[in-house]
Amino acid sequence: MSQTAAIRKPVDAAALSTMIVLCLIWGLGHVAAKLAAPGVSLILQGGLRCAIALGLLLIWAQLRRIVLFTRDGTLGAGLAAGGLFAAEFLFIFAGLNYTGASRMVVFIYLTPCLTALGVHYFLPSERLNAQQWGGIALAFLGIAFAFWDGFAASRSTLLGDAFGVIAAVLWAATTVVIRTTKLSSASASKTLFYQLAVSAVTLPLAALLAGEPGITSLTPIVVAALLYQSVIVTFASYLAWFWLLTRYLTARLSVVTFLTPLFGVAAGVLILHEPLRPPFIGAAILVGAGIYLVNRPTRRAL
């Protein structure tokens, strides 16, 4: 661990450009889910994308000679992280039935602030400073504005918005489990394997129990949107993110993630023609600013 930390370097132009591309990819993820929804029901989409990404991960691990199946004491924590990950996607995809992609991405990206709160209580070495508390306050203020906008515009979106917040809590809890258990010393591929494997099994069952219609029409747009979520988002972008974390200082990389909700809002408006009201623009900016402040390195850390 110390050796890995020692070779990490400040973010350079290559890492910054890669992070911007990743934020764009993540911001488009929920838009792709909406585009695929006419042909594949939403919760089932979550299961299918994890199953496809799981297959690609197994091939990747075989080619890279990465050991996934070995007794290293991570099974319990891995199953817990996988369960939280699956529940997160259950709420995301169920929530997209009620709210827009542009709204969902803003609620989901409350996660960095919730994660900071979690590690504050479970990892004494990562206590929050005044700047980070200010960022969390800004993000929660932004969420309050977003809920108010949803209530004023269409109360039917509030259930989907609430599901987005629950998903953000679950995502943050997943990260805290990974950071505070033996998963912290496991390979990124194995950690991702646990999450994808549990989700690939449980989400299709959840779709069945929810009475979803399943696969009804595989048009080129539906197939392309599903493959985008599976290959580009769930497999390639996550591996790229983990690769960056092994080579660059984490805090400086995380600063850039504030662009994701902004990209997501723009994509929802431009591609899906979702309505964009001034209060929600303000909410997205506040959440982005909060993420930036929570992750921005302090002068002492530099």
Side-chain angles (χ1 to χ4, degrees), residues 7 64 68 124 135-136 139 148 165 196 216 228 238 247 287 294:
I7 63 173
R64 302 284 295 181
L68 296 178
I136 289 171
W148 176 82
V165 173
L196 294 179
T216 57
Y228 174 82
Y238 289 177
R247 286 159 174 78
V287 171
V294 165

Side-chain angles (χ1 to χ4, degrees), residues 172-251:
T174 304
T175 303
V176 172
V177 167
I178 292 171
R179 294 286 305 279
T180 58
T181 65
K182 289 186 177 181
L183 286 175
S184 62
S185 58
S187 69
S189 296
K190 185 161 189 176
T191 301
L192 183 58
F193 168 77
Y194 280 124
Q195 296 173 79
L196 294 179
V198 174
S199 299
V201 172
T202 57
L203 288 178
L205 291 176
L208 184 63
L209 292 174
E212 284 193 347
I215 300 174
T216 57
S217 175
L218 292 178
T219 65
I221 291 179
V222 170
V223 172
L226 185 59
L227 289 177
Y228 174 82
Q229 295 179 69
S230 307
V231 180
I232 304 300
V233 178
T234 311
F235 173 68
S237 77
Y238 289 177
L239 276 183
W241 167 245
F242 289 137
W243 179 85
L244 287 171
L245 290 179
T246 64
R247 286 159 174 78
Y248 296 93
L249 297 171
T250 305

Side-chain angles (χ1 to χ4, degrees), residues 8 25 32 58 61 76 82 109 123 143 156-157 161 179 187 193 195 197 215 223 241 244-245 274 279 286:
R8 288 177 182 167
I25 288 172
L58 291 173
Y109 274 86
L123 294 175
I143 293 301
S156 64
T157 68
D161 294 347
R179 294 286 305 279
S187 69
F193 168 77
Q195 296 173 79
I215 300 174
V223 172
W241 167 245
L244 287 171
L245 290 179
E274 293 179 346
L286 285 172

Side-chain angles (χ1 to χ4, degrees), residues 100-157:
S102 57
R103 296 184 64 83
M104 178 61 74
V105 73
V106 171
F107 289 104
I108 286 297
Y109 274 86
L110 184 62
T111 298
C113 299
L114 293 173
T115 301
L117 280 174
V119 297
H120 172 81
Y121 290 106
F122 289 100
L123 294 175
S125 61
E126 298 193 29
R127 297 294 185 188
L128 296 172
N129 56 38
Q131 169 190 291
Q132 292 171 312
W133 280 113
I136 289 171
L138 278 180
F140 276 102
L141 182 61
I143 293 301
F145 267 107
F147 267 110
W148 176 82
D149 177 66
F151 185 83
S154 174
R155 297 186 185 184
S156 64
T157 68

Side-chain angles (χ1 to χ4, degrees), residues 43-91:
I43 297 176
L44 181 60
Q45 278 189 55
L48 290 177
R49 76 182 228 169
C50 288
I52 294 170
L54 176 62
L56 293 173
L57 179 65
L58 291 173
I59 295 171
W60 169 264
Q62 183 68 25
L63 293 174
R64 302 284 295 181
R65 300 185 183 278
I66 300 171
V67 178
L68 296 178
F69 305 99
T70 182
R71 293 185 179 181
D72 56 3
T74 63
L75 179 61
L79 292 176
L84 289 168
F85 184 82
E88 170 206 335
F89 278 100
L90 174 62
F91 278 100

